[in-house]
Amino acid sequence: MTLLYHWPALAITACIVSASCQGACPDFSFRSSTVLGIGANPRAVAAADFNRDRVTDLAVPNFDDGTVSILLGRGDGSFVPGLSLFAGAGAKAIATADFNSDSHPDLAVAVSELAEIAIFLGMGNGLFGPAIRVDGGDHPFDLTAADLNHDGADDLVVAENGCPGCRIDGSVLVILGRGDGQFLPTVSYGRRGFPTGVRVADFNGDKHADVLVADAFRVRLLAGNGDGTLKDGVVFDPIPEPLALAVADFDNDGFLDFAAASPSTQEIAIWLGRSGGLFIDHDRLPTRLSALPISMEAEDFNGDHLPDLAAANIGNDTVSVWPGLGNGRFGPMIEIQTGGEPGALLCADIDGDGRPDLVCCDQNPGDLTIFLNTCPDSRPRLTINRFRGETLVSWRDAGGSLTLEVAGSPTTGVWLPSTTAGHFRNGNRFSAVKPGFYRLALHPRGR
């Protein structure tokens, strides 16, 4: 797989080659680690390090009793109960971000019955301050955090579901953060349909955050202007009654794609992104009869550097996982049995081994099931950061050596520490100091 990183005056193409693309796990492999009794009807889950111990913790909103369960990770896939927060009846969706710029993760919880967003500011020790209430429109259904106006402060985007039973359309809400834990007044965009899922990313390549929303009839792209405002974009009809979305580059062409799940048709539609925020209908992934997929995540589970797809099926108490083939297609589905009525799915590294695990909310009987990823991990991992004007590339060696190739060069040259355009330092870090195009490749020893 080739990953292209763009920085000012510098573009780096990182190409990772390992033993069978080379050390990839040919099949998915998960182990059920923990089933935790949480609360009444858990509907979502978020992951962050709430107590600064470098271990993944979890926050779970419980719909019926309005609480948010904080679970502090031990680093081995297990958890200890932490503080229980009160958000309000109908706590339905959750996002984590740093809303007050203190470097501690905070929480935003959509409280549908109160039409509010409850903000809990983290203290960095696993504890949180009292709820700050923000207008959440009419039945907030889903939400995510992102910086919409380039001010460095995290904002909120909310899928306001409206009232489907009384035929009152919902909308997309934007709540701009001030960076001090406070927010500007809620702004509504496009009362249309009944929004149920929302994702934020730069879909049209203008370096502004855009909003992709599923509204129970169609999928809409609201293009960001870069100042926190949105404008109507293209409307897509990927599948009848789309409920949940997942976003990734499924065909490895540099454009983001999306998957839309429909419980009514028991399938998932794959739409491939093109230049300018356009998408084309590409494929359908069928689930089993009565599966009812309602939540999705896209992640590389088997170590082949291609995004895979996972869906929680509330109808038959399973999680379906499809291996991505890198061309917009997917391999045969596998199923994992859950505890009961999985309502939400999350990918996170729960046990600290560098592999994405699955966390599943079981609405009935109110459990959280952890599926630890047990694929062998032989992947070299590249980390590319911008620091004091330099682009630093570091990696964890998985039995390989670092080779640097100039893109477009007729020959492949190995760059040594003595080269003028770049140098190695600290044993495993390359610092590129000359603008240009470079290709990083990790090759197994002896090849």
Side-chain angles (χ1 to χ4, degrees), residues 140-446:
F141 199 93
D142 190 20
L143 82 168
T144 190
D147 183 5
L148 300 182
N149 55 356
H150 301 286
D151 65 351
D154 286 313
D155 312 309
L156 287 170
V157 181
V158 182
E160 177 204 20
N161 191 234
C163 181
C166 42
R167 297 186 178 180
I168 298 176
D169 284 357
S171 67
V172 173
L173 306 180
V174 170
I175 310 172
L176 296 179
R178 300 196 317 190
D180 59 358
Q182 301 297 316
F183 293 82
L184 298 180
T186 300
V187 178
S188 174
Y189 289 89
R191 282 207 167 271
R192 193 181 306 166
F194 310 109
T196 55
V198 63
R199 293 292 182 267
V200 175
D202 180 12
F203 293 101
N204 58 10
D206 64 356
K207 300 183 180 179
H208 303 320
D210 309 311
V211 176
L212 194 70
V213 57
D215 66 10
F217 296 106
R218 61 193 69 83
V219 172
R220 289 184 290 138
L221 179 65
L222 301 176
N225 296 312
D227 58 0
T229 63
L230 304 174
K231 57 189 175 186
D232 265 335
V234 186
V235 177
F236 309 96
D237 293 306
I239 200 168
E241 300 181 20
L243 179 67
L245 298 170
V247 172
D249 183 3
F250 295 124
D251 59 347
N252 196 29
D253 66 349
F255 298 109
L256 287 175
D257 315 311
F258 75 82
S262 171
S264 64
T265 64
Q266 315 287 330
E267 61 182 357
I268 294 168
I270 306 298
W271 280 54
L272 300 183
R274 293 296 180 259
S275 177
L278 299 177
F279 295 87
I280 59 171
D281 192 355
H282 182 66
D283 199 6
R284 295 288 186 276
L285 300 178
T287 61
R288 294 192 187 279
L289 186 64
S290 302
L292 305 180
I294 65 170
S295 179
M296 286 191 300
E297 288 282 297
E299 184 56 270
D300 175 19
F301 295 111
N302 59 357
D304 61 359
H305 311 289
L306 302 174
D308 309 310
L309 195 60
N313 305 309
I314 197 170
N316 64 354
D317 301 339
T318 63
V319 171
S320 299
V321 187
W322 293 267
L325 303 180
N327 57 1
R329 305 287 180 182
F330 292 82
M333 174 188 70
I334 70 161
E335 282 189 334
I336 307 170
Q337 195 68 39
T338 69
E341 296 185 16
L345 198 62
L346 174 73
C347 293
D349 182 8
I350 299 300
D351 54 0
D353 64 356
R355 296 186 291 264
D357 307 307
L358 284 170
V359 183
C360 189
C361 285
D362 300 322
Q363 296 181 13
N364 184 15
D367 290 332
L368 201 67
T369 306
I370 311 296
F371 296 101
L372 296 180
N373 191 339
T374 57
C375 273
D377 187 22
S378 60
R379 294 175 289 178
R381 299 181 180 276
L382 292 181
T383 303
I384 300 184
N385 295 305
R386 186 77 173 169
F387 179 70
R388 293 182 179 177
E390 292 185 337
T391 300
L392 304 178
V393 181
S394 58
W395 69 93
R396 189 185 70 196
D397 193 349
S401 59
L402 184 66
T403 303
L404 194 64
E405 307 166 0
V406 182
S409 173
T411 60
T412 299
V414 178
W415 289 36
L416 302 174
S418 60
T419 55
T420 58
H423 59 275
F424 293 99
R425 65 187 191 187
N426 297 336
N428 69 342
R429 179 171 291 177
F430 171 80
S431 175
V433 294
K434 179 181 178 181
F437 291 85
Y438 306 98
R439 175 169 295 143
L440 279 173
L442 280 173
H443 299 284
R445 288 194 180 98

Side-chain angles (χ1 to χ4, degrees), residues 21-81:
C21 193
Q22 250 349 283
C25 180
D27 299 307
F28 297 117
S29 178
F30 293 94
R31 174 174 59 87
S32 178
S33 167
T34 311
V35 179
L36 303 164
I38 304 299
N41 199 355
R43 291 290 185 93
V45 57
D49 180 8
F50 297 127
N51 57 355
R52 296 184 298 180
D53 63 353
R54 300 183 180 181
V55 175
T56 301
D57 309 311
L58 299 175
V60 184
N62 302 296
F63 187 87
D64 290 352
D65 60 18
T67 61
V68 179
S69 301
I70 305 298
L71 304 171
L72 301 179
R74 291 191 176 106
D76 59 357
S78 64
F79 295 83
V80 294

